[in-house]
Amino acid sequence: MQSVPSQAIRPLSLNASLSSSRLPFFSFSLPIFHKFKINPSIYNKSQKVPLFLTLRCCSSGSVTAKPSSEDRRNRDVQEPDEKVVALRRLFSKPGIGIDAYIIPSQDAHQSEFIAECYMRRAYISGFTGSAGTAVVTKDKAALWTDGRYFLQAEKQLSSSWILMRAGSLGVPTTSEWLNDVLSPGGRVGIDPFLFSHDAAKELKEAISKKNLELVYLYDLNLVDEIWKESRPKPPNNPVRVHDMKYAGLDVASKLSSLRAELVGTGASAIVISMLDEVAWLLNLRGSDGPHSPVMYAYLIVEVDGAKLFVDNSKVTKEVMDHLKNASVELRPYDSILSEIRRLAAQGAQLWLDTSSVNAAIAETYKSALDKYRSNHGSKGKIKNKRYDESNGLSEGPSGVYMRSPISLAKALKNPAELEGMQNCHLRDAAALAQFWCWLEEEIHNNVELTEVDVADKLLEFRAKKEGFLDTSFDTISGSGANGAIIHYRAEIGSCSVVDPNKLFLLDSGAQYIDGTTDITRTVHFGEPTAREKECFTRVLKGHIALDQAVFPENTPGFVLDAFARSSLWKIGLDYRHGTGHGVGAALNVHEGPQSISYRYGNTTPLQKGMIVSNEPGYYEDHAFGIRIENLLHVQEINTPNRYGGIEYLGFEKLTFFPIQARLVDISLISDDEIEWLNNYHSQVWEKVSPLVEGSARQWLWNNTRVIHKQ
């Protein structure tokens, strides 16, 4: 699955100034956090900011946007939205006093996939796409989303809403629009738990240009106030221990390495709010939201202790014992701010990753530190001026503002994690073989299947496999023109029937107890056109080129992106998404800090132990889409030379599943590329055939036969 940056997804492209020293392979004997140093000044300046702040107006002069109703001429004019009217009534209540309210897609942890009770933007607007920001003023309501969701938003928004097609000519950003529609002195309210510190800071600076004030409403979320009893309950699913045979490293060892990093930076504690980081560090897993095996929690790790902030009802006796053995104390989930105040009152230097830690935590800490300094005058000891947001000019302790060290440590998979990923990919391939065998037979028998039918049947096959937990994202099942929509989601009532005479793109993945999968295949059930074959073959050539890439250590992912595009570029074609994203081990299907993308701002080197996707594509609007995706493991390559005395790296495949030979234009592919495809299919047969039988085994044999150059 290709991750497209949005404000609902924490950006993977995080710049960091890394030392030139080689980062050793994640092992049991070496510290797992002492692998990099970050220049905080570069880090603070280079953060990507959310969609609603970064997409700039493309034209000069006035900016305009049509109400969604203007594009639905056959639709009756609707009455004012009752939810929006109710929300506006709250603006003038005591203690609120605002002129506009922003409702983002995020939860308090900047998660990609969120629990239903936190889908506030969907509730207030009726738009259910994953990416979007709603803004309600006293007389207007507007929603920003990107090109993946324009059509969906058109269908779902009432006439009360203005659809802002982010990135389109003449469409302002949220802050530009607020600056235009509000009078000077206006107050813009937000729930500070739902904005990262960096995003809130950027918004505050942008609207201050027109003398607008950003107001943090800590004590209540206005959408929740009108949602009331109909709001879904917060998830209450039990947390489970992630077994050592899958985790590969115990909690005590991880915490010990993290504490060594704390000491090295002068921090006395670190606040961890990213859910996958909490889960990885404590070897815990949950099921509080769709697709990602995480639980809603915060974690504070101090030099001499650790506290997990989580709903106690989720904690089983096994988990309690597991945490006790690691000297981790339990605290109520909603007591995080009081603990931040307590630590600040003691002069604690907290390490905060301001790209992910929410503004409520960051501002609470800053205010409490100001109070501490005031009480202690100039007696407060200055430990790390260089990390102070005020450039070290303040007396007393200050925060350490850097990227979380857990991000990179988690990305460098240890041997047990890699073994789990390898094993689950083979079970997943067996499920896919059974599924594709079934699908081709149904299509051959002229059975009418919708895109939703196909996705549901794939889930049935996967669910029968050992260790299956969930899908790792919503399956992208796109026939014909729908395959050209990069993040298409088929829905009952509006999806297409799978057309045997058109290309069919299937991007799917699963969460298993031992690993996470993500695979895309594009097929044709009949006779593809010459155009379709050429485009498919050029995507395949790019896939092979990246798979075979060998590169020196310390190479950032963006350097490799052109490998995957070169064949398309030769005939003037391209695709508008990155080529690869990081993948967690039995965790989030999208993880950083690594990526392979044309976005050259991410300078994180690819390192041994990382897992990335290889997924070039091509999309012809209103016609077809093509994507070929495998997951790869970064490993050392034994080259005959080592120029400069450094290591050279390459990739080892984790995904083993046939690539449809029918779509390959043999005239465009080299002998070496034919050899790659034949060798790959030979490995697929060797690894997967023992796991299937009957018609599925025959299907696998038919689709892994040797291809000859004619």
Side-chain angles (χ1 to χ4, degrees), residues 365-510:
Y365 176 58
K366 182 177 181 297
S367 297
L369 265 192
D370 289 343
K371 184 177 180 180
Y372 173 87
R373 294 191 189 106
S374 176
N375 291 339
H376 291 77
S378 60
K379 296 180 181 179
K381 185 178 179 181
I382 305 174
K383 295 182 180 179
N384 277 279
K385 282 186 178 182
R386 64 194 180 103
Y387 296 119
D388 193 351
E389 284 191 301
S390 59
N391 297 317
L393 299 178
S394 299
E395 294 284 345
S398 57
V400 176
Y401 300 99
M402 298 196 303
R403 184 176 69 193
S404 167
I406 303 167
S407 175
L408 183 60
K410 175 168 55 64
L412 304 179
K413 309 300 187 285
N414 63 49
E417 291 173 321
L418 286 172
E419 182 180 358
M421 291 291 280
Q422 291 164 345
N423 290 339
C424 78
H425 273 78
L426 295 182
R427 299 197 304 277
D428 200 55
L432 286 164
Q434 294 165 334
F435 160 78
W436 281 107
C437 175
W438 167 85
L439 179 58
E440 287 193 5
E441 184 177 349
E442 295 292 284
I443 296 294
H444 178 74
N445 291 331
N446 297 316
V447 176
E448 185 176 284
L449 296 169
T450 69
E451 295 161 331
V452 170
D453 292 333
V454 171
D456 289 346
K457 193 65 178 183
L458 174 55
L459 177 58
E460 283 185 33
F461 282 109
R462 276 193 167 122
K464 295 175 183 177
K465 295 304 175 186
E466 180 185 358
F468 176 83
L469 299 171
D470 193 3
T471 53
S472 56
F473 55 92
D474 289 321
T475 297
I476 300 172
S477 171
S479 177
N482 289 339
I485 304 171
I486 294 172
H487 272 199
Y488 175 69
R489 180 181 178 183
E491 295 184 336
I492 296 173
S494 61
C495 66
S496 297
V497 171
V498 176
D499 189 334
N501 298 310
K502 295 180 179 179
L503 285 174
F504 176 67
L505 185 153
L506 187 70
D507 186 352
S508 67

Side-chain angles (χ1 to χ4, degrees), residues 52-163:
F52 58 86
L53 295 174
T54 57
L55 294 172
R56 312 312 305 171
C57 176
C58 302
S59 65
S60 58
S62 61
V63 289
T64 60
K66 294 181 180 180
S68 55
S69 57
E70 289 189 24
D71 293 316
R72 297 196 301 273
R73 297 175 182 175
N74 297 325
R75 191 166 175 175
D76 294 334
V77 176
Q78 299 182 9
E79 294 297 321
D81 191 306
E82 293 182 2
K83 295 174 185 176
V84 173
V85 171
L87 187 72
R88 287 173 176 146
R89 291 195 193 105
L90 300 175
F91 285 11
S92 58
K93 281 200 167 186
I96 299 178
I98 58 174
D99 301 287
Y101 191 62
I102 302 178
I103 307 104
S105 298
Q106 292 98 321
D107 59 21
H109 305 269
Q110 310 300 304
S111 305
E112 177 178 0
F113 304 113
I114 66 176
E116 190 177 358
C117 64
Y118 300 128
M119 296 180 180
R120 298 176 173 103
R121 188 226 63 227
Y123 171 78
I124 195 66
S125 68
F127 168 64
T128 59
S130 64
T133 300
V135 182
V136 176
T137 69
K138 291 180 177 179
D139 59 356
K140 294 180 177 64
L143 180 129
W144 281 255
T145 191
D146 60 57
R148 295 171 292 163
Y149 301 105
F150 289 167
L151 182 59
Q152 180 181 346
E154 270 297 318
K155 293 178 179 179
Q156 293 181 329
L157 292 176
S158 76
S159 58
S160 299
W161 287 85
I162 302 169
L163 173 57

Side-chain angles (χ1 to χ4, degrees), residues 547-569:
D547 179 271
Q548 294 183 315
V550 176
F551 48 94
E553 60 177 317
N554 297 320
T555 299
F558 74 81
V559 174
L560 304 182
D561 185 71
F563 284 51
R565 300 179 192 268
S566 177
S567 184
L568 288 166
W569 285 349

Side-chain angles (χ1 to χ4, degrees), residues 348-374:
Q349 297 226 138
L350 297 188
W351 184 333
L352 303 177
D353 182 341
T354 55
S355 70
S356 60
V357 167
N358 62 56
I361 289 175
E363 288 302 312
T364 295
Y365 176 58
K366 182 177 181 297
S367 297
L369 265 192
D370 289 343
K371 184 177 180 180
Y372 173 87
R373 294 191 189 106
S374 176

Side-chain angles (χ1 to χ4, degrees), residues 636-679:
E636 182 180 354
I637 300 298
N638 186 21
T639 53
N641 303 289
R642 288 199 174 189
Y643 183 79
I646 62 174
E647 289 184 349
Y648 281 76
L649 305 175
F651 299 114
E652 177 184 41
K653 285 176 280 291
L654 292 173
T655 307
F656 291 95
F657 197 76
I659 295 169
Q660 192 179 58
R662 179 186 298 149
L663 278 165
V664 178
D665 184 340
I666 297 297
S667 68
L668 293 175
I669 202 165
S670 70
D671 290 341
D672 287 344
E673 289 164 336
I674 286 281
E675 182 180 6
W676 180 96
L677 188 57
N678 286 333
N679 286 340

